Each structure stands twice: as C-alpha cells, then as structure tokens.
Amino acid sequence: MKKISINTLRSMKKNGEKFSAITAYDYTFSHLIEAAAIEVALVGDSLGNVILGHDSTIPVTVDEMAYHTSAVKRGNNHSLLVSDMPFMSYATEIKALENAATLMRSGAQMVKLEGGEWLTEIVYLLSQRGIPVCGHVGLTPQSVHKFGGFKVQGRAEAEAKKMIQEAIAIQDAGADLIVVECVPSTLGTALTAALDIPVIGIGAGASTDAQVLVLHDMLGISKRLPKFSKDFLAGANSIQDALKTYSVEVSNGSFPGPEHCCD
Ligand code: KIV
C-alpha cells in the first residue's frame, strides 16, 4: 500500500476525493487502521479520556503522547501519522519547538495544535523548521473550561466569520491540514471552500474534505456516543470490517448523515 503524504491529501482535495482519519493509540489498532487503508492516523490527546480515564484532555503530557505515538508508528506504514501537542506544550515558541521535536522523534509526521490567530507565529516557526502542522479550530477540547463545556462553536455570524479568518491565518502561516470540530454544517462548508489546505471535520457536516472520529466512539465502546459519531461496529462482523465501512462511507459521502450534524 502506498504511503500517504501531505501531497496525497492535497491532491485528493483538488480532485474532490474525500478521505478519512481516525484516532489511534496503540500498535494493534494502528495495524488494523493500516489494513483498512485509512489515510490519517491521529494520536489524539483524547487518549486522556478513552485510554487514561481523565474527564478532559488537560492532564495529558508530552511523554504520554510520545509513548503512544511510537506504538502507533510501529503498527502502520500507510497512514499519515499526526500527533496532538497536549495542553500547554506549545504555550511558548521554545516549548513548541522542543515538544514538537519530541513527537517527531517518536514517529509523528505532523503535529496538531488547537487555537486561532494567536497560534500563527508558532505555526510559522514550526513549519519553517520542517515540521508539518495541522491546525484545530471550533470546539477545541483543551479550552473546554474557557467555553464553559463542550458546546457547538461558531453559531453566531460574527463568530463564524472570525473562525474562517483565523483558519486562513493559520493556513497562511504554513499549516498543511486543519481540523474543525463541532460547528454548524454551513460553517464547515464555508471553511472548506475558503481554504486551499484539506479540512478534516468532526461534527462539521458532510462538506468537509475529510472526516475524523475517535476510535472508541466509532466502535461504540466509549461511555457516551457523541451525536456526531456513529457506532460502525453495530452490524459489522469485526473491528476490521467496521473500520473499512467507515472509510468507504466517508469516501462515498454517506457518512456523516444529517443526523450527525451539530446544527
Ligand atoms: O484528540 C482527538 O481525538 C482529536 C480529534 C477529536 C480531532 O483531536
């Protein structure tokens, strides 16, 4: 199977081909994700919730991210491997450079950072030094306490406009991908049209260039299934089958359906 690179994803956007991403935290699942030919494996800091049992992603450390990144790397030679930079690990330029280097040395091929305009200098710095960056806007879970809970973002027109401007600023600073989480589908559509880089949605409607789900949610084994997710294991013969169905439904546009939107 051909190794996925940022060039593959860029040309998929250009050709209107949708791709899928999924979170991965260990070697065995990473291997199943490779076998399902899923384009992006994200070592999400959601591991704080689904692996470590925290009630948010805030306690997750760089060492924990590096440990899981190296396990995922050993299981998969196909998917582009993106690792989350955890809470406060990119609060200053020097921290961002050192912590991104730790994740890249562990096997990440791109790092993901949550935030808007304030992040542009850090994105620029990382990308100038050869570190591919994925932005993350909308409902950014590391800011859950600032939002006052896990709430849909960008409902008001001014807020939506600001989010698009911030995403463009992150792209212009050098980001190669961007995740948009939990926004109305009209905003998911507008963001995808406004950006040249591929946009990966989660709870952002069907028009984004790609979809991402938390592995434990899409296997129906999380404590609570978010509205924007779907239990692909229900009705499947195996985990491998569920992963493949997810990938097929994203590429043929049948997932997400209107019932998975945050409108
Ligand atoms: O940590 C994570 O799993 C994520 C996805 C939900 C996009 O950031």
Side-chain angles (χ1 to χ4, degrees):
M1 242 186 302
K2 198 169 164 261
K3 172 79 190 143
I4 301 291
S5 71
I6 54 173
N7 300 334
T8 324
L9 303 180
R10 242 182 250 132
S11 47
M12 287 182 85
K13 174 165 179 136
K14 209 168 139 214
N15 299 332
E17 293 169 53
K18 296 201 182 277
F19 62 89
S20 45
I22 194 159
T23 64
Y25 315 105
D26 68 11
Y27 168 83
T28 301
F29 274 104
S30 183
H31 185 59
L32 295 179
I33 289 163
E34 174 187 66
I38 290 176
E39 284 84 359
V40 177
L42 168 67
V43 187
D45 59 356
S46 53
L47 69 83
N49 305 87
V50 297
I51 303 292
L52 301 174
H54 297 304
D55 59 5
S56 77
T57 57
I58 290 170
V60 176
T61 66
V62 173
D63 285 349
E64 287 166 345
M65 291 305 303
Y67 173 85
H68 287 276
T69 297
S70 62
V72 170
K73 167 73 186 139
R74 287 190 285 272
N76 190 331
N77 278 317
H78 166 69
S79 315
L80 181 77
L81 202 169
V82 183
S83 282
D84 263 337
M85 295 196 64
F87 181 65
M88 283 297 140
S89 67
Y90 47 99
T92 64
E93 293 182 355
I94 189 74
K95 273 188 172 192
L97 286 170
E98 284 175 1
N99 291 325
T102 300
L103 296 182
M104 297 295 283
R105 284 190 199 106
S106 306
Q109 289 142 2
M110 180 178 287
V111 294
K112 178 163 81 59
L113 292 77
E114 297 181 4
E117 189 94 51
W118 71 270
L119 260 187
T120 50
E121 276 171 33
I122 287 169
V123 171
Y124 179 77
L125 204 66
L126 291 172
S127 109
Q128 284 298 304
R129 280 156 181 80
I131 299 180
V133 173
C134 177
H136 185 158
V137 296
L139 173 54
T140 46
Q142 292 170 17
S143 303
V144 59
H145 299 309
K146 189 75 183 159
F147 293 142
F150 293 97
K151 295 177 192 306
V152 177
Q153 301 295 306
R155 278 203 200 278
E157 202 182 321
E159 227 185 276
K161 231 172 161 181
K162 185 164 177 255
M163 201 184 296
I164 295 172
Q165 282 164 358
E166 295 199 313
I168 292 173
I170 289 168
Q171 166 183 273
D172 292 349
D176 294 289
L177 286 179
I178 195 154
V179 167
V180 57
E181 178 164 353
C182 219
V183 300
S185 39
T186 47
L187 178 51
T189 306
L191 258 168
T192 307
L195 294 177
D196 297 323
I197 57 174
V199 175
I200 307 179
I202 173 164
S207 308
T208 53
D209 302 305
Q211 299 291 326
V212 61
L213 288 179
V214 169
L215 175 69
H216 293 53
D217 292 344
M218 62 78 69
L219 294 177
I221 56 171
S222 299
K223 267 190 172 167
R224 194 185 60 86
L225 185 70
K227 179 181 187 285
F228 52 71
S229 195
K230 173 176 167 181
D231 179 355
F232 283 89
L233 192 54
N237 291 323
S238 63
I239 290 174
Q240 188 66 88
D241 195 18
L243 290 168
K244 195 67 217 168
T245 304
Y246 166 59
S247 163
V248 169
E249 288 195 11
V250 170
S251 64
N252 69 21
S254 52
F255 176 80
E259 70 277 26
H260 305 115
C261 292
C262 292
D263 294 335

